[in-house]
Amino acid sequence: MGSIFNAQQIVNGLQVGSIYALIALGYTMVYGIVRLINFAHGDFYMIGAYAAYGAFYLFNASLGGKTGIVAFLVLAASMAASGAVALLANKLAYKPLRYKPKLSSLITAIGVSMFLEYFFSALPVIGPSYRSFPEIIPRTDITVGGAIISNYVVIDIAVAAILMVSLTLLVRKSSLGKAMRAVSQDKDAARLMGINVEKIISFTFLIGGAFAGAAGLLAGMTYPRIFPYMGIQPGLKAFIAAVLGGIGNIPGAVLGAYIMGLAETFASAYNSLIGEGISFAILILVLLIRPTGLLGEKTADKI
Amino acid sequence: MKKFAIVLLLAIAATSLSVAQDIKIGGIGPVTGEAATFGVSTKNGMTLAVEEWNAKGGVFGGRKVKLIFEDDKGDPAESATVYTKLIQQDGVVAIVGTVMSKCTLAGAPICQAAGIPMITPASTNEKVTQVGDYIYRACFIDPFQGTVGATFAFKNLNVKSAAAIFDLGNDYTKGLAENFKLTFEKLGGKVVAYEGYPTGVTDFKAQLTKIVAAKPEVLYIPDYYNDVGLIAKQARELGFKGPMVGGDGWDSPDLVKIGGKAVENGYFTNHYSPDDTRPAVQDFVKKYTAKFGQKPDALAAQAYDAMYIMLDAIKRAGSTKGTVIRDALAKTNIDVVSGNIKFDANRNPIKAAVIIEIKDGKQVYKATVKP
């Protein structure tokens, strides 16, 4: 049992959880505002990874050596690219169906997801095959209490934490956040109060996409192999994390993501087949026992 | 009726052969299509072998070889057509081909039914030679690499404990891992950790943490290069410093691109290396490069070998009759580019594999290991 429940496995689980958390945040935000499960969200993550890949080679040529600045620019590029694509997806695919039956948007989301995957594989500059992701920041290790922690683990957790805290502050403290909460509660009432609902929705997609982009960069750095279908699996896991935490609830998504990361790691260490299945077992259990998720509020219907 | 037609055609072919004196051999490879580079190398390898035999004065009784090469386009349906064409229309006495297992599996039953001896240079699927007693292969089958990997780790790297990590959803990597474990334990070593992972994951740390905690001296990773790069990287991150061993799935320049420094001190089993210092290999590399303007890859070497094995059998048979050639093939004992070749009861070759080391980001020939 010592090799299953130990400090190293906790670190492993937290690292996986951080990436899930960043993706899950976007899922949960979009769901909270427009009640849409945006299945294309995992693909925004993929776009973030590719944007980071391109940005690194672009900036590294002129700014080679200044690791910190390059890393910051790469992060900005990945967030901008994913945010922009999310914004565009909202404008072109989801907005026309806003007041149509929810199932239409859901199916459209699956369509957007497939479109992005196949379109990116068809683009000659991206292509369907694996690419190796560059080492943006040199990796170093420290050993704490028997666990080896690389700076990548620290970066993954730190970036996830910083973005989560800023998002929570934005939603809780700013007037924009207040507007977002208002739209999430009642679109018509919000509109009567003079809130530009479409603008708030666009903003939500932008932020959600940008977070997925950041997750894409972190994943690319941690698992240096990217390809157009890389978003499917993490997207699904992050969705389960969001449901586990209570979809629509921001702290819930983060909590769910870390629980998922740890559960998967421990289960994989016990037996790989259980490890892969555990996330889905969790999903089924949550839906059976507590459909609103750990921190979710009661709503009339989910999807 | 069909059988009768084949027999009739064969009879006609046989009579015409005795007049023409040339021995017709069919060659097949995917010269166009998804595996085009495989096909071109295969054709080149066979052509070179046939030229050498003809320059030496033919196979037996002064009879030279006429190679009739057909393109199967990497398509099983096309493959069946060209096998039939070679046997019925051209009246070949034996066939060397083809490359992709799915195509070979389409052609092998045709050869078996017609009684035409066949040898595939590169199809690694176990089922190919199970088709029947006329079907041989010149390359080793997948699980065999696990055996060689274990032997190399135990004898050449001199380690006593090993761990293996493999893809649960892929027969290739599972087969290699199973055979590695079997052989390593038979040799007296200990497999301290044996972990699988589901297909398509990118995080192997849960399994690797367990493996590293078991303190193996060597890690066996029999997957394809893109997973191997990630696994190697994460294993090194978790503090594994020992050597890593794998199979021919490592054979790609992308391995080093993804794995970086992590794949250093890595070794993999392969069919052939142009850097092998044995004179047979160097002689082949020189002749091939002079004729075709590029270094021969594994496919070219295997096709060259397969043609040599077939012609050697025909020479020893001293006949172009299928049954006689088949029996001669079974008694093969020949030194070719990839080493000495004999066949086991399942018509798979018993031969050595080469070990290639990843050194400073490059593939370097390390050793030749006999099973």
Side-chain angles (χ1 to χ4, degrees):
Chain A
M1 280 321 245
S3 57
I4 297 172
F5 296 103
N6 61 22
Q8 184 68 58
Q9 298 289 27
I10 294 174
V11 173
N12 299 343
L14 289 177
Q15 185 177 22
V16 176
S18 303
I19 290 168
Y20 288 166
L22 282 175
I23 310 175
L25 278 174
Y27 260 118
T28 227
M29 273 174 69
V30 168
Y31 183 84
I33 306 281
V34 282
R35 298 283 182 273
L36 163 72
I37 311 262
N38 179 18
F39 278 111
H41 202 70
D43 303 295
F44 299 162
Y45 156 91
M46 174 271 291
I47 288 162
Y50 273 97
Y53 176 90
F56 175 75
Y57 285 112
L58 189 70
F59 295 130
N60 203 38
S62 49
L63 292 164
K66 293 173 190 143
T67 310
I69 302 173
V70 173
F72 180 77
L73 286 174
V74 168
L75 176 65
S78 63
M79 290 180 79
S82 294
V85 173
L87 206 59
L88 212 62
N90 175 45
K91 277 268 174 334
L92 298 178
Y94 303 139
K95 195 179 165 192
L97 298 168
R98 191 85 72 219
Y99 300 100
K100 297 274 159 38
K102 269 179 201 154
L103 199 59
S104 315
S105 318
L106 193 74
I107 292 167
T108 306
I110 297 171
V112 170
S113 166
M114 286 182 167
F115 170 75
L116 289 174
E117 284 154 20
Y118 290 99
F119 180 68
F120 270 69
S121 347
L123 278 183
V125 286
I126 288 174
S129 42
Y130 292 107
R131 267 166 204 270
S132 55
F133 200 80
E135 196 171 89
I136 295 174
I137 297 167
R139 198 175 59 83
T140 50
D141 298 320
I142 46 162
T143 310
V144 182
I148 296 167
I149 303 176
S150 77
N151 54 346
Y152 278 27
V153 177
V154 179
I155 292 169
D156 286 353
I157 298 175
V159 172
I162 292 168
L163 290 179
M164 273 169 237
V165 171
S166 12
L167 180 64
T168 312
L169 287 179
L170 176 87
V171 173
R172 295 258 168 88
K173 305 285 181 199
S174 70
S175 58
L176 189 65
K178 200 184 244 175
M180 283 168 81
R181 279 178 289 146
V183 172
S184 112
Q185 279 164 14
D186 192 333
K187 280 193 201 57
D188 296 326
R191 198 175 282 116
L192 288 173
M193 294 302 120
I195 295 170
N196 186 337
V197 172
E198 275 308 323
K199 213 167 153 185
I200 296 297
I201 293 174
S202 295
F203 181 75
T204 308
F205 269 95
L206 181 70
I207 296 284
F211 276 38
L217 163 65
L218 295 184
M221 277 168 55
T222 317
Y223 314 110
R225 173 189 78 178
I226 59 175
F227 65 110
Y229 306 99
M230 66 184 277
I232 299 174
Q233 196 77 334
L236 208 56
K237 300 287 176 62
F239 168 65
I240 298 171
V243 174
L244 170 63
I247 194 150
N249 183 302
I250 287 171
V254 177
L255 179 71
Y258 279 111
I259 292 176
M260 284 272 298
L262 288 168
E264 254 188 53
T265 303
F266 289 139
S268 295
Y270 180 68
N271 179 318
S272 298
L273 289 176
I274 299 179
E276 195 55 9
I278 192 142
S279 27
F280 301 100
I282 289 176
L283 176 67
I284 293 167
L285 280 182
V286 168
L287 291 179
L288 285 177
I289 297 165
R290 198 180 155 84
T292 52
L294 295 175
L295 304 180
E297 296 132 35
K298 271 217 162 69
T299 47
D301 60 326
K302 279 277 163 203
I303 301 171
Chain B
M1 190 59 210
K2 201 173 165 196
K3 251 193 191 148
F4 176 72
I6 293 170
V7 171
L8 196 70
L9 276 165
L10 278 175
I12 295 165
T15 37
S16 65
L17 269 174
S18 61
V19 177
Q21 291 289 306
D22 270 359
I23 298 174
K24 289 188 194 168
I25 304 285
I28 307 174
V31 181
T32 57
E34 56 175 320
T37 69
F38 292 180
V40 172
S41 293
T42 302
K43 191 178 179 185
N44 289 350
M46 289 184 195
T47 309
L48 183 62
V50 167
E51 271 179 20
E52 285 179 25
W53 276 79
N54 284 343
K56 280 191 298 185
V59 185
F60 67 89
R63 292 175 70 176
K64 298 201 168 173
V65 182
K66 188 175 177 218
L67 174 66
I68 304 167
F69 195 91
E70 292 291 340
D71 178 12
D72 70 13
K73 303 184 175 75
D75 172 10
E78 192 72 27
S79 181
T81 310
V82 298
Y83 268 95
T84 312
K85 184 234 166 207
L86 283 172
I87 295 170
Q88 302 200 349
Q89 223 164 301
D90 299 319
V92 297
V93 301
I95 289 179
V96 183
T98 177
V99 175
M100 298 168 87
S101 290
K102 59 178 181 183
C103 296
T104 313
L105 281 167
I110 299 171
C111 289
Q112 178 68 27
I116 295 291
M118 183 205 109
I119 183 164
T120 166
S123 294
T124 51
N125 189 312
E126 259 185 292
K127 288 199 191 97
V128 169
T129 52
Q130 290 165 6
V131 168
D133 57 350
Y134 282 86
I135 316 299
Y136 285 77
R137 89 174 91 218
C139 56
F140 45 63
I141 53 173
D142 290 337
F144 172 75
Q145 292 194 60
T147 310
V148 175
T151 312
F152 169 75
F154 192 83
K155 291 193 174 148
N156 296 48
L157 295 175
N158 201 19
V159 293
K160 299 288 168 274
S161 66
I165 182 165
F166 56 96
D167 187 335
L168 287 162
N170 184 325
D171 288 340
Y172 165 75
T173 112
K174 244 167 76 178
L176 262 66
E178 277 163 14
N179 277 274
F180 176 88
K181 186 167 184 266
L182 217 70
T183 311
F184 198 77
E185 283 172 346
K186 220 197 280 168
L187 288 167
K190 217 177 146 201
V191 177
V192 291
Y194 189 69
E195 292 289 322
Y197 51 84
T199 309
V201 294
T202 50
D203 191 294
F204 306 91
K205 281 190 171 169
Q207 290 89 341
L208 286 168
T209 299
K210 238 172 115 181
I211 286 176
V212 173
K215 297 200 171 43
E217 289 171 273
V218 64
L219 179 57
Y220 190 59
I221 321 173
D223 207 336
Y224 294 105
Y225 58 91
N226 54 56
D227 276 347
V228 173
L230 288 184
I231 296 171
K233 221 166 187 168
Q234 291 172 26
R236 297 284 188 227
E237 231 171 275
L238 292 167
F240 180 73
K241 295 198 171 59
M244 302 175 179
V245 179
D248 61 349
W250 285 36
D251 190 7
S252 162
D254 277 5
L255 175 69
V256 176
K257 279 195 208 150
I258 296 170
K261 285 193 202 80
V263 291
E264 293 288 316
N265 199 10
Y267 306 87
F268 65 94
T269 45
N270 209 344
H271 305 266
Y272 142 94
S273 162
D275 303 324
D276 193 330
T277 48
R278 284 185 302 117
V281 178
Q282 285 315 314
D283 190 42
F284 166 67
V285 171
K286 216 170 74 196
K287 279 190 278 188
Y288 187 97
T289 315
K291 186 166 171 63
F292 301 108
Q294 57 182 23
K295 269 197 172 183
D297 55 14
L299 265 303
Q302 286 169 330
Y304 178 86
D305 281 1
M307 186 56 83
Y308 255 81
I309 293 166
M310 186 57 88
L311 295 180
D312 169 70
I314 297 174
K315 182 185 167 193
R316 282 184 291 109
S319 157
T320 52
K321 261 182 84 180
T323 47
V324 189
I325 299 173
R326 177 197 65 189
D327 296 342
L329 268 173
K331 296 193 194 81
T332 294
N333 183 358
I334 182 179
D335 285 308
V336 284
V337 172
S338 55
N340 177 273
I341 292 199
K342 290 188 190 96
F343 288 108
D344 66 11
N346 300 316
R347 295 168 298 282
N348 291 316
I350 305 164
K351 62 188 267 195
V354 298
I355 305 286
I356 294 176
E357 180 180 3
I358 310 286
K359 204 171 191 176
D360 302 320
K362 289 200 175 59
Q363 294 190 4
V364 183
Y365 168 75
K366 171 82 179 169
T368 301
V369 174
K370 293 199 178 81

